[in-house]
Amino acid sequence: MTTLEDGAPYPLGATWDGLGVNFAVFSAHAEQIDLCLFDPSGRREIARMPLPEKTDEVFHGYLPDARADLLYGFRAHGAYDPQHGHRFNPNKLLLDPYAKQISGEVRWSDALYGYRLHSPRGDLSFDRRDSAPGMPKAVVVDDAFNWGDDRPPNTPWAETVIYEAHVRGLTMLRPDIRPHERGTFAALASPPMIEHYKRLGITAVELMPIHAFVQDRRLVEMGLRNYWGYNTIGFFAPEPRYLSDGSLNEVKVAVRRLHAAGIEVFLDVVYNHTAEGSEEGATLSLRGLDNLSYYRQEAHDWRRCVNDTGCGNTVNLSHPRVLQMVMDSLRYWVEAYHIDGFRFDLGVTLGREDHGFDPGSGFFDALRQDPTLARVKLISEPWDIGPGGYHLGGHPPGFGEWNDKYRDSVRRFWRGDAGQRPEFAARLAGSSDLFDRRSRKPWASINFVASHDGYTLADTVAYVQRHNLANGEDNRDGHGENYSSNGGVEGPTPDPEIRARRARLQRAMLATLLFSQGTPMLLAGDEFGRTQGGNNNAYAQDNETSWVDWRKAETPEGEALAAFSARLTKLRREHPILRCKNFLHGLEQPLPGVHDIAWFDERGADLGPEAWNDHGERTLTVRRAAERDDGAVSILTLMLNPTEKALAFTIPPPTSATRLLLDTSRPDAAEEQVEGGEIEVGAQSAVLLMSLAPAQTRRGRPTKHATEPSGDTPS
């Protein structure tokens, strides 16, 4: 075997230059790091060589004549002193944090732990068994790919409609896709799926974690699997199971096909913790390379990991080299895979400094100034379980944020809860109370009524109790309060009245989602009534519980709901007032007496403070008005009736030439002219009306009347 040359400390990871491979890995506290090479099967270690040079705390070496597809790992020598944060153990093979492809998977045994698992001394003991037989191996890659004329769609935020999906679960039950491709990137961007996306009218797919992840030992021993994938072990490598042919190019081909269809690709990324778990977890990568640098430790007990994530450890983004790793990973996915955006799991954790969450943290500052990452879409999950962990609306400009207040408010309003008017109206209007600061726009509110975490839309109207026994946690896991309803029967029922009620509520919530200010996100399968049987935490259900059942889409009910969903996205595209670029506060008058946004009850009366605070009143009408490019003023009126009976709504003026665009109680009804000043809005239904004021009827430009809003708004 050729001797290692000194090589270079940058770039980190394994880099093939056509003549050999440069290896570089950061560790501030290791005394020596060995490069271990393996045969193509990954079973036999064929060479072990110390990296010969160390520069700025980066160990590095260059292996002449080495080629792509070489399998390798690291072993780190240093102090095993958990009480001072050090857990070096050269008996443990370590995965390169910069591995761009991974071969094999973790095969659980006690040898994967740096200490003797059942020793009375616990993690203070030392395990001398070789972990290599149970460890996946990193693979040297050649990143070359012909992108041709690929261009990012660059869909404006205001026009974005997100479709949250799981690469595996989306297509495992899709019958018109070749069996060996189901559940992979090849299926994600197959012609049948692209046809579905385009017919539905979404503009972006947001993929649940596709970074390589580990199957939790606890789940494996229970006969379950980690389905969601929030258990990352490789920030640069795709999950091998999502590749039908094992080639990284499959991901790139999928992205290129989606881009050609005008669809952006967002990744749900997990940089807040890793699969190594708590201080009592396995030694797989970062823990063995430099535990004290890569993870946050308790301030007064460096033996213990900070657990702001609920997953046992917290990645230490306050360390510049760890922050560099995350930034390098993000840039790699944009540059090598042409990814269009990221959703950051537990985004608050990433913004924590020693004093707590900080919107001016190093992570946020690094993202916002980076010329590559500043041009992609960034979305945060604005909470974690650490101290003061809820920060919806508290992220810096440039970020969208998952708005769980929107989800809960929409569910409660349509469930018929009392006193929901003010909160619901604030969410409908883009949550300006949360986001209208520092020049942020309505798109910053990522609106959803269902996501992977919780009930599907159909289950929200069919279950009031979680049904999670299959998860093996005695039904204790998952949200206890879902603001759901079932119509009097838990789960499936043949009762036609209950089924009709559930269908009405689904349509009403979907219409609310697409007609709200902000960025709508639709959970895959909700467009045709997908169910998880009441499981609201299906993280361990890699089976038909979680997989999208496309047979449902072929039923009359499923076909009707899918067509209705597509009609909603079409209306959102056709009427810019439904996706305003700026917040509306009722301070401008596109027409005399007609404010940009105004609120009314079902009688057409302005809502004053007393009406807003009347807990017995549940109906709501919102009228929005804006000037079109041709100078005419478009007026859209949305009437919402969450009660159990149909009601006559008075149309706020002007009422001339009013057209019915949509009635959720009559999903098949065509657009029609509305005669008179009233319209019936069905029980648990919504109606969207439009009128148009020609340009010649207007009197000058829109005027601001800061002291004359047409009724107090909730924000």
Side-chain angles (χ1 to χ4, degrees), residues 440-459:
R440 299 181 78 181
K441 303 295 183 181
W443 61 255
S445 177
I446 308 299
N447 298 333
F448 61 99
V449 293
S451 70
H452 73 272
D453 187 6
Y455 280 150
T456 66
L457 176 63
D459 287 354

Side-chain angles (χ1 to χ4, degrees), residues 150-163:
D150 179 74
R151 296 290 184 275
N154 286 327
T155 306
W157 260 114
E159 298 174 15
T160 297
V161 179
I162 300 171
Y163 190 68

Side-chain angles (χ1 to χ4, degrees), residues 338-490:
H338 289 201
I339 295 302
D340 304 287
F342 300 95
R343 181 264 190 188
F344 296 97
D345 178 62
L346 301 186
V348 167
T349 300
L350 306 180
R352 284 188 181 272
E353 299 289 356
D354 290 340
H355 56 275
F357 175 76
D358 184 351
S361 70
F363 171 72
F364 290 132
D365 287 348
L367 268 181
R368 295 175 66 202
Q369 63 78 41
D370 188 280
T372 296
L373 301 176
R375 58 186 172 84
V376 302
K377 292 184 172 72
L378 304 173
I379 300 169
S380 179
E381 183 181 39
W383 52 78
D384 67 12
I385 71 163
Y390 189 80
H391 288 276
L392 177 62
H395 284 59
F399 274 82
E401 300 178 40
W402 269 31
N403 191 341
D404 63 327
K405 286 189 174 183
Y406 179 94
R407 174 200 62 202
D408 294 348
S409 178
V410 170
R411 290 183 179 186
R412 296 190 68 186
F413 178 84
W414 285 110
R415 190 172 68 171
D417 289 10
Q420 294 304 304
R421 259 185 182 172
E423 175 74 9
F424 178 74
R427 305 304 145 233
L428 192 68
S431 297
S432 61
D433 57 323
L434 300 171
F435 296 105
D436 192 8
R437 55 178 63 91
R438 299 186 68 186
S439 303
R440 299 181 78 181
K441 303 295 183 181
W443 61 255
S445 177
I446 308 299
N447 298 333
F448 61 99
V449 293
S451 70
H452 73 272
D453 187 6
Y455 280 150
T456 66
L457 176 63
D459 287 354
T460 299
V461 298
Y463 296 90
V464 295
Q465 301 293 330
R466 62 193 178 200
H467 294 262
N468 300 353
L469 283 173
N471 298 346
E473 299 184 42
D474 297 324
N475 209 40
R476 296 189 304 268
D477 60 305
H479 298 293
E481 176 56 79
N482 299 279
Y483 303 113
S484 59
S485 62
N486 62 16
V489 175
E490 185 79 349

Side-chain angles (χ1 to χ4, degrees), residues 74-386:
F74 295 124
R75 298 180 189 270
H77 301 256
Y80 188 84
D81 185 4
Q83 292 178 317
H84 291 90
H86 300 306
R87 296 179 179 272
F88 295 102
N89 186 335
N91 300 293
K92 308 306 168 184
L93 186 76
L94 306 174
L95 191 67
D96 182 1
Y98 279 70
K100 295 175 181 175
Q101 187 172 8
I102 293 175
S103 175
E105 61 181 18
V106 170
R107 294 190 297 276
W108 284 106
S109 74
D110 292 355
L112 294 176
Y113 296 78
Y115 64 98
R116 296 192 302 278
L117 201 56
H118 303 291
S119 168
R121 299 184 65 233
D123 64 311
L124 296 178
S125 63
F126 188 79
D127 189 274
R128 300 184 183 279
R129 287 171 291 183
D130 184 6
S131 68
M135 277 293 295
K137 312 304 187 292
V139 183
V140 178
V141 305
D142 176 5
D143 276 324
F145 180 75
N146 184 359
W147 283 99
D149 59 353
D150 179 74
R151 296 290 184 275
N154 286 327
T155 306
W157 260 114
E159 298 174 15
T160 297
V161 179
I162 300 171
Y163 190 68
E164 190 196 21
H166 189 286
V167 170
R168 180 168 167 82
L170 184 63
T171 61
M172 282 298 292
L173 299 177
R174 182 86 190 200
D176 52 355
I177 292 175
R178 291 181 290 184
H180 77 280
E181 291 185 346
R182 294 173 190 167
T184 69
F185 276 94
L188 176 76
S190 63
M193 292 309 304
I194 288 179
E195 179 184 355
H196 180 74
Y197 307 143
K198 293 177 72 68
R199 182 170 59 248
L200 180 58
I202 58 98
T203 69
V205 290
E206 180 177 303
L207 303 177
M208 291 175 65
I210 65 110
H211 288 174
F213 62 93
V214 172
Q215 293 298 324
D216 313 55
R217 186 174 190 177
R218 178 183 66 86
L219 294 179
V220 171
E221 292 174 348
M222 293 170 61
L224 299 172
R225 294 188 68 83
N226 186 319
Y227 170 68
W228 284 357
Y230 293 91
N231 203 34
T232 304
I233 194 62
F235 295 132
F236 295 76
E239 169 58 32
R241 290 193 306 155
Y242 300 162
L243 306 175
S244 66
D245 62 2
S247 170
L248 300 182
N249 285 347
E250 183 174 319
V251 183
K252 300 173 183 179
V253 169
V255 172
R256 186 173 175 183
R257 286 177 175 168
L258 290 165
H259 282 179
I263 297 167
E264 295 183 312
V265 181
F266 304 161
L267 301 184
D268 190 339
V269 288
V270 187
Y271 295 113
N272 58 81
H273 74 280
T274 77
E276 291 185 297
S278 74
E279 62 276 358
E280 296 181 352
T283 296
L284 308 175
S285 181
L286 304 182
R287 171 163 292 133
L289 285 169
D290 192 346
N291 180 70
L292 192 59
S293 294
Y294 282 107
Y295 293 121
R296 291 186 182 274
Q297 312 298 319
E298 292 287 352
H300 303 294
D301 185 359
W302 285 6
R303 180 182 173 187
R304 309 296 179 191
C305 293
V306 170
N307 188 20
D308 289 335
T309 65
C311 299
N313 64 57
T314 302
V315 175
N316 182 20
L317 268 73
S318 294
H319 193 292
R321 286 293 189 180
V322 182
L323 177 60
Q324 177 191 355
M325 176 183 68
V326 172
M327 298 299 294
D328 286 348
S329 168
L330 291 167
R331 276 190 297 268
Y332 177 70
W333 286 99
V334 174
E335 294 170 351
Y337 288 93
H338 289 201
I339 295 302
D340 304 287
F342 300 95
R343 181 264 190 188
F344 296 97
D345 178 62
L346 301 186
V348 167
T349 300
L350 306 180
R352 284 188 181 272
E353 299 289 356
D354 290 340
H355 56 275
F357 175 76
D358 184 351
S361 70
F363 171 72
F364 290 132
D365 287 348
L367 268 181
R368 295 175 66 202
Q369 63 78 41
D370 188 280
T372 296
L373 301 176
R375 58 186 172 84
V376 302
K377 292 184 172 72
L378 304 173
I379 300 169
S380 179
E381 183 181 39
W383 52 78
D384 67 12
I385 71 163

